[in-house]
Amino acid sequence: MGNVVVVQVGDPRRARLEREGWSVTARSFGAQLDADGMDLDRMTALVSRAGAGVAFRSIGPDDVDDVLALDRLTADDYPGSVATRHEQMDRRAATPTAERCAAGAFLEDGSLVAVTYVELDGAVAETDFTVVHPSHRGRGIGTALKAWSVVALRREGVRRFRTGGSAENAAILRANAALGYERDEEWVTLTAPDRAGAAT
């Protein structure tokens, strides 16, 4: 089984493992937004709140170097544990495809300050990750970028949007709530007891 297990909150294995001394060391969630219930006026307002100096557009091959630089800069900024771990991208993973699209937030000088990557499966889109440059957090840019991406994908025929992350990530929880995502999955990460430490 290993030293770490991720299970849904109601999984019977959780109670058994906790009786055996395992402890909850992280919590994560999943959430959904359906196109039919989307508030487009609210989405538009969220995009506008980012300010006139921020522009949103799809990520293309020419942006990959900037994406990789931002990915390296923020590699240690993802809270949580194994369930929400972000693997740093290589050039192949950072290059958008028909099944893996991306959008970015750019300043007037062309600097990339936020990016979101989404996995597509027919009419279903699932956010892989969204990250904002440390110097530009707290301005609503990440929320605005997710809103822009959702609206753009809706225009292309996507009907269901999935997202998730660490339950300790207050920024992503606020962003998802603002967009109208509804949490429908709760997970816990359980870590085995330190038998060696307990014996000393």
Side-chain angles (χ1 to χ4, degrees):
M1 182 178 287
N3 294 324
V4 177
V5 175
V6 180
V7 297
Q8 287 192 303
V9 166
D11 192 312
R13 289 175 295 171
R14 177 186 178 183
R16 175 176 60 81
L17 289 169
E18 288 185 320
R19 286 194 300 270
E20 295 174 0
W22 292 59
S23 58
V24 175
T25 52
R27 296 177 181 271
S28 52
F29 70 94
Q32 184 165 302
L33 174 65
D34 291 322
D36 291 341
M38 190 180 299
D39 186 337
L40 290 176
D41 290 337
R42 177 168 58 179
M43 294 289 189
T44 301
L46 290 170
V47 173
S48 298
R49 284 181 198 169
V54 182
F56 303 96
R57 63 171 174 79
S58 297
I59 294 292
D62 292 342
D63 301 309
V64 169
D65 285 338
D66 291 335
V67 168
L68 291 173
L70 181 60
D71 193 45
R72 287 191 298 270
L73 177 67
T74 58
D76 297 326
D77 294 351
Y78 295 84
S81 185
V82 293
T84 55
R85 180 175 295 152
H86 170 70
E87 298 293 337
Q88 273 194 263
M89 294 187 292
D90 56 18
R91 182 167 293 276
R92 180 177 179 182
T95 301
T97 66
E99 294 77 30
R100 179 175 167 82
C101 65
F106 296 83
L107 301 183
E108 292 177 331
D109 64 1
S111 301
L112 176 67
V113 294
V115 69
T116 186
Y117 274 72
V118 178
E119 304 285 347
L120 297 174
D121 183 4
V124 179
E126 179 149 4
T127 301
D128 180 11
F129 73 96
T130 303
V131 71
V132 180
H133 191 289
S135 299
H136 296 277
R137 293 174 185 164
R139 299 171 49 191
I141 292 176
T143 303
L145 176 58
K146 286 195 77 168
W148 186 93
S149 175
V150 164
V151 171
L153 290 170
R154 184 179 186 273
R155 292 195 190 104
E156 295 176 9
V158 174
R159 308 306 298 166
R160 177 167 296 172
F161 299 85
R162 298 287 307 172
T163 192
S166 169
E168 286 81 42
N169 189 337
I172 201 66
L173 293 175
R174 286 194 302 269
N176 290 340
L179 270 64
Y181 278 93
E182 294 186 5
R183 290 171 66 168
D184 57 6
E185 293 181 356
E186 302 287 340
W187 300 77
V188 290
T189 299
L190 296 160
T191 300
D194 184 352
R195 301 297 186 190
T200 57

